Amino acid sequence: EGFVGDSAILFCSIPESEIQDKIEVFEVHCRDDEGKKVCDIIGGSIAEDQKPKYKDRVETFPEEYKKGNFSIKLSSLQKTDARKYHCFIKRDITSHDTFQKEVITELHVKGVYNLSFIDNIVTGILFFMFVAITFCVARVVFSF
């Protein structure tokens, strides 16, 4: 969950025991629910050919790859980012010991103007004070 303009982490991981210090044989493909490329990590390096919607908004954590953590950080959240994201992790098919996993994360993006109950009360009090002051000023002005 995140707010417009903030960042959110899209989780994508496998057990560290699956990596076995062979990060170079893994491929990670992160797609949105429309199939648009969010991010690819191939052999421990991030691919640069992202969709314009996600360009310069995705960050990965290379120091975490060897631990099986391929999560990504999506920044400058927009309302349109609220959707499901699919992370596909697979070990190179030329390897004798194949491995595949899909992780699905659903992102909820809330608007900037998320007022709490107390904020609504304060806003109401300020509005009441404005009306009262306006009434007093109008009474003084029109009494002459």
Side-chain angles (χ1 to χ4, degrees):
E1 186 173 281
F3 291 94
V4 170
D6 283 348
S7 301
I9 302 293
L10 304 176
F11 294 101
C12 181
S13 65
I14 58 174
E16 187 174 351
S17 60
E18 291 293 337
I19 298 291
Q20 301 171 359
D21 290 327
K22 295 183 180 178
I23 191 65
E24 66 278 354
V25 299
F26 279 87
E27 292 184 8
V28 180
H29 305 280
C30 184
R31 303 289 185 267
D32 66 17
D33 60 2
E34 293 177 343
K36 292 180 183 168
K37 183 190 292 186
V38 178
C39 175
D40 282 346
I41 302 169
I42 312 245
S45 299
I46 188 166
E48 296 296 324
D49 58 339
Q50 296 167 297
K51 288 294 179 184
K53 176 179 180 167
Y54 300 108
K55 187 94 172 131
D56 299 322
R57 297 177 51 217
V58 173
E59 180 183 340
T60 65
F61 308 96
E63 66 280 0
E64 294 290 315
Y65 297 168
K66 289 184 178 183
K67 299 176 189 172
N69 184 0
F70 300 100
S71 299
I72 66 171
K73 178 180 175 182
L74 183 60
S75 59
S76 301
L77 290 178
Q78 307 162 7
K79 281 287 213 177
T80 56
D81 290 329
R83 59 183 62 236
K84 288 184 181 177
Y85 293 86
H86 300 260
C87 174
F88 303 95
I89 305 171
K90 66 179 184 174
R91 189 176 295 134
D92 187 359
I93 54 175
T94 60
S95 172
H96 297 293
D97 187 21
T98 61
F99 175 88
Q100 285 188 319
K101 182 179 181 181
E102 178 181 10
V103 179
I104 300 172
T105 302
E106 186 167 0
L107 176 61
H108 299 274
V109 180
K110 295 183 177 185
V112 176
Y113 302 106
N114 186 23
L115 297 178
S116 69
F117 178 71
I118 293 174
D119 290 335
N120 288 333
I121 290 172
V122 170
T123 303
I125 290 169
L126 291 174
F127 178 73
F128 175 76
M129 289 173 60
F130 172 76
V131 170
I133 291 169
T134 303
F135 177 74
C136 290
V137 169
R139 188 170 177 188
V140 169
V141 169
F142 292 113
S143 67
F144 291 108

